[in-house]
Amino acid sequence: MRHWFYSFIIASLLLSLTFTSTSASSQWYETQGHASIDDDDIAVARNKAVENALKKALLVAGASVSSVQQVINGLLTQDQISIRASGSVNAIELVDELHSGNLITVTIRADIFPQEKKCFAVNFKKSLLLTKSHLVNREQANIGKIYPIDTAIIKKLEKHLTADSNFTYSRSIFNSKTEFSRLNNSLEGERIKDLVRSLGGSTDSQYILFSEINDLSFEDQATNSWQFWQQGIYPRTLSLSFYLYSGFSGDLVWQKDYQDTAIWSFTKRKTIDVNSIIFWQSEYGSMINNMLTQVTKDIDENVMCEPSKGKILQVNGNKITFNLGRDHGVKIGDEFTLLHAKDFNSNEGKRYSGFNISPYKVKVTQLTRGTAIAHTPDNSLFGNIQINDFAVRY
């Protein structure tokens, strides 16, 4: 048994190193599975227990349950573990194995990448925090004095999301810029994670959106034979980059660049109010509006199938309060799974964030716009569940 255990760990660690480098948006989940030992066939029972544990992890992560058989087909072969990677599971590690009578209990840790197009949480809105954009080349805003465009574009995006997004509940902070652009330019990934987690925690947001305005320049040639600015019809570019992060893990979920050009129909020295109807009804303003319509669709597409996670704000006996409510689509009677945040270190000393999937589930009994109160149906207590852990609906 010990020989089997250590050969499993060695194999799974090698697989971890292979697959985690190719899946930036994956997440580690730790959970238990159970199975009965029939006719003293421990190997078959172990397989069933691992399947049971992996199914729980896949559901909570938002992956396809059907992928259980694809992932662990032929999991146990004599003394070796054979793991076949798919689009959902990058690696599996056996953490513990316990025998009690004819029951076998295994604890596994799985690195899971949610499978595309499998939607388990489309009825719930994810909280999204919008931050002030960053003007990369500030001098380009001098013509028209459109320096406030770093805020105006995100305010307009917020209106698009409020009106047209089916899967986000957005809010914004514009009082000050974040350090994101400086950290991103310096490739300081860990400090970006710290920033994202801080913003997610302080604003109760599941996702954080950053953006950069890369280009506001004019094309070199006018669109007609008139002299420069005589008719005010020079094409002006807009280049935007958006970065969507998980407010819980700090990981980058989605990133995309957008670029387009439209006529700048204002004279050279005229100061333009980028919050005015005149600006947004101009060709350039209309071009930005169309771009933000596409951004809204892209954000929806990238969050619609993700599980809705709420942070636990209070634990009292068999009752919890978490930060999802009516505005997020939660209803009385909805059932949530509980996750205990659990970081761990690999053999190489690298730190990974992950979740321990609690055996307890809760049912929502009270709601406000932004919070829910839920109880365990059988009045059982929560064990290690505490404030800042998570309630997840898949």
Side-chain angles (χ1 to χ4, degrees), residues 127-386:
S127 51
L128 172 64
L129 179 70
L130 309 179
T131 63
K132 188 176 182 179
S133 192
H134 172 67
L135 268 173
V136 176
N137 299 294
R138 188 171 175 78
E139 68 280 1
Q140 293 178 346
N142 186 53
I143 294 177
K145 300 295 187 292
I146 58 171
Y147 302 107
I149 200 167
D150 54 0
T151 299
I153 285 179
I154 304 304
K155 284 183 176 179
K156 183 63 70 171
L157 175 61
E158 186 174 22
K159 290 182 179 179
H160 277 268
L161 288 166
T162 300
D164 302 321
S165 172
N166 294 313
F167 307 106
T168 64
Y169 171 69
S170 60
R171 67 192 79 181
S172 55
I173 51 170
F174 297 128
N175 294 335
S176 61
K177 289 185 179 179
T178 70
E179 291 186 295
F180 171 76
S181 290
R182 180 180 65 80
L183 298 175
N184 192 41
N185 189 54
S186 303
L187 302 178
E188 297 188 57
E190 290 305 313
R191 293 190 62 187
I192 290 177
K193 280 190 174 184
D194 291 340
L195 171 64
V196 171
R197 288 169 175 167
S198 175
L199 288 172
S202 62
T203 62
D204 291 336
S205 300
Q206 185 169 347
Y207 294 97
I208 313 295
L209 186 71
F210 301 104
S211 60
E212 295 177 326
I213 302 172
N214 304 305
D215 193 1
L216 289 170
S217 64
F218 287 85
E219 291 189 3
D220 293 335
Q221 300 296 322
T223 56
N224 64 2
S225 59
W226 295 96
Q227 293 181 2
F228 187 72
W229 293 112
Q230 186 172 347
Q231 294 297 312
I233 52 174
Y234 262 70
R236 191 170 196 170
T237 297
L238 176 66
S239 173
L240 282 169
S241 296
F242 286 93
Y243 307 84
L244 185 68
Y245 283 83
S246 164
F248 299 140
S249 68
D251 292 329
L252 180 64
V253 175
W254 166 78
Q255 186 270 325
K256 188 173 180 179
D257 301 325
Y258 301 80
Q259 182 169 321
D260 204 349
T261 302
I263 298 300
W264 184 258
S265 54
F266 306 101
T267 59
K268 180 179 180 180
R269 293 181 174 82
K270 183 176 179 62
T271 298
I272 305 303
D273 179 3
V274 291
N275 294 300
S276 67
I277 294 177
I278 293 176
F279 172 76
W280 287 105
Q281 288 183 345
S282 70
E283 288 189 52
Y284 193 75
S286 295
M287 177 268 289
I288 298 175
N289 249 326
N290 292 335
M291 186 182 291
L292 296 180
T293 296
Q294 185 59 50
V295 173
T296 299
K297 292 179 180 178
D298 290 342
I299 290 174
D300 259 11
E301 183 176 328
N302 280 275
V303 305
M304 63 183 290
C305 296
E306 294 297 310
S308 292
K309 289 178 186 172
K311 184 170 289 189
I312 295 175
L313 307 176
Q314 188 177 60
V315 180
N316 185 9
N318 75 319
K319 179 175 70 176
I320 63 166
T321 303
F322 56 94
N323 63 355
L324 295 176
R326 281 194 297 269
D327 286 343
H328 306 90
V330 179
K331 300 181 293 296
I332 299 292
D334 283 342
E335 195 172 69
F336 283 77
T337 297
L338 304 183
L339 303 181
H340 175 59
K342 183 177 182 180
D343 293 347
F344 66 96
N345 294 322
S346 68
N347 284 3
E348 292 73 31
K350 186 174 181 180
R351 191 161 187 79
Y352 291 91
S353 62
F355 299 108
N356 183 289
I357 302 174
S358 171
Y360 305 106
K361 290 190 177 183
V362 294
K363 187 171 289 187
V364 174
T365 56
Q366 297 180 51
L367 279 175
T368 68
R369 291 187 60 182
T371 63
I373 295 176
H375 295 73
T376 52
D378 59 357
N379 294 321
S380 57
L381 302 181
F382 289 119
N384 64 345
I385 295 298
Q386 54 195 284

Side-chain angles (χ1 to χ4, degrees), residues 36-54:
S36 298
I37 304 173
D38 298 321
D39 300 324
D40 298 321
D41 194 336
I42 296 175
V44 172
R46 182 184 294 118
N47 254 16
K48 290 180 179 179
V50 172
E51 288 186 23
N52 178 251
L54 186 55

